[in-house]
Amino acid sequence: MTAARKHFSNPENANMPRWRTYAKGDPKRQGILETALNWVSEGQIEDYMAKHRNDTDIKDIDKYFETVLDWASRLFDCTDSVMCDIDWGRLYREYHEKAYNHKEINARIDTLLDNSCVSDKRGIFEYVLGGEQDKKLLNIRSLRMQSRKESIRNRLTPRKRKASAIAHTAR
């Protein structure tokens, strides 16, 4: 684990900007290392560390981490902050064997990122990878709810003006 700490927790590592596009966390606090371990261990970090505590190299962690990042960066053009802190390791395991049309998938991602009704932008990637089946991933705001809020706001505005005018003339 010492080698892994040295590699993934070094803020001067040339890979750090790329890693931080997809993995959240302060390298000095081992946030990138934790993400790499989470991905390679499928969320079972303690079990993984127990099995590999005597390993002298980090080839398996580094290779898996880089494989996941390569897959995500080849598939998606987006490098926005919305990419950070998605469980790319899980998405890789579930979707990397499926073929995707690069242009189509990125056009769809861009459309959904621009849609103001989609409140969970991070869910867009899994939604599109999964064939746009699970709309819950998008946490869509209903237009009726937005319209209702606007209606309430419009109704309250004249009342507030009237109350303000009455209070002002009472002085």
Side-chain angles (χ1 to χ4, degrees):
M1 284 295 113
T2 303
R5 272 190 220 105
K6 186 176 180 180
H7 183 68
F8 288 105
S9 299
N10 178 3
E12 302 301 318
N13 187 317
N15 292 315
M16 196 58 67
R18 179 172 180 249
W19 293 347
R20 294 193 76 183
T21 299
Y22 301 95
K24 189 174 184 177
D26 183 354
K28 292 178 184 176
R29 296 186 177 270
Q30 301 177 5
I32 304 298
L33 173 59
E34 181 180 1
T35 299
L37 287 169
N38 187 46
W39 292 357
V40 75
S41 70
E42 298 182 18
Q44 305 299 316
I45 295 174
E46 289 181 20
D47 293 342
Y48 181 86
M49 289 177 68
K51 289 177 190 171
H52 297 273
R53 71 174 175 253
N54 295 321
D55 289 0
T56 56
D57 67 57
I58 59 165
K59 288 179 186 171
D60 57 334
I61 301 170
D62 191 42
K63 182 179 179 191
Y64 190 81
F65 190 68
E66 289 297 334
T67 299
V68 171
L69 296 181
D70 288 344
W71 172 77
S73 65
R74 276 192 321 270
L75 190 56
F76 302 110
D77 293 337
C78 179
T79 56
D80 199 297
S81 62
V82 74
M83 301 287 282
C84 187
D85 206 28
I86 293 174
D87 188 352
W88 291 109
R90 182 181 59 78
L91 294 181
Y92 174 78
R93 282 189 302 280
E94 290 181 28
Y95 299 109
H96 81 276
E97 292 179 352
K98 188 174 178 185
Y100 296 96
N101 180 308
H102 181 82
K103 278 186 177 180
E104 287 177 13
I105 199 168
N106 282 287
R108 188 65 182 134
I109 296 278
D110 289 343
T111 300
L112 290 168
L113 285 171
D114 290 338
N115 188 331
S116 63
C117 293
V118 176
S119 61
D120 186 357
K121 302 296 184 186
R122 286 184 171 93
I124 291 172
F125 300 93
E126 184 172 0
Y127 175 71
V128 173
L129 289 170
E132 300 189 21
Q133 300 297 311
D134 188 0
K135 290 189 181 353
K136 289 183 224 166
L137 292 167
L138 303 177
N139 196 14
I140 297 174
R141 285 185 221 125
S142 74
L143 290 175
R144 288 195 330 239
M145 189 63 155
Q146 287 179 336
S147 297
R148 191 177 325 149
K149 286 180 181 177
E150 286 177 23
S151 175
I152 291 169
R153 197 174 316 122
N154 290 338
R155 281 184 289 174
L156 290 177
T157 303
R159 288 184 194 155
K160 286 182 181 178
R161 284 192 203 132
K162 186 177 178 181
S164 177
I166 292 171
H168 192 63
T169 56
R171 290 183 196 169

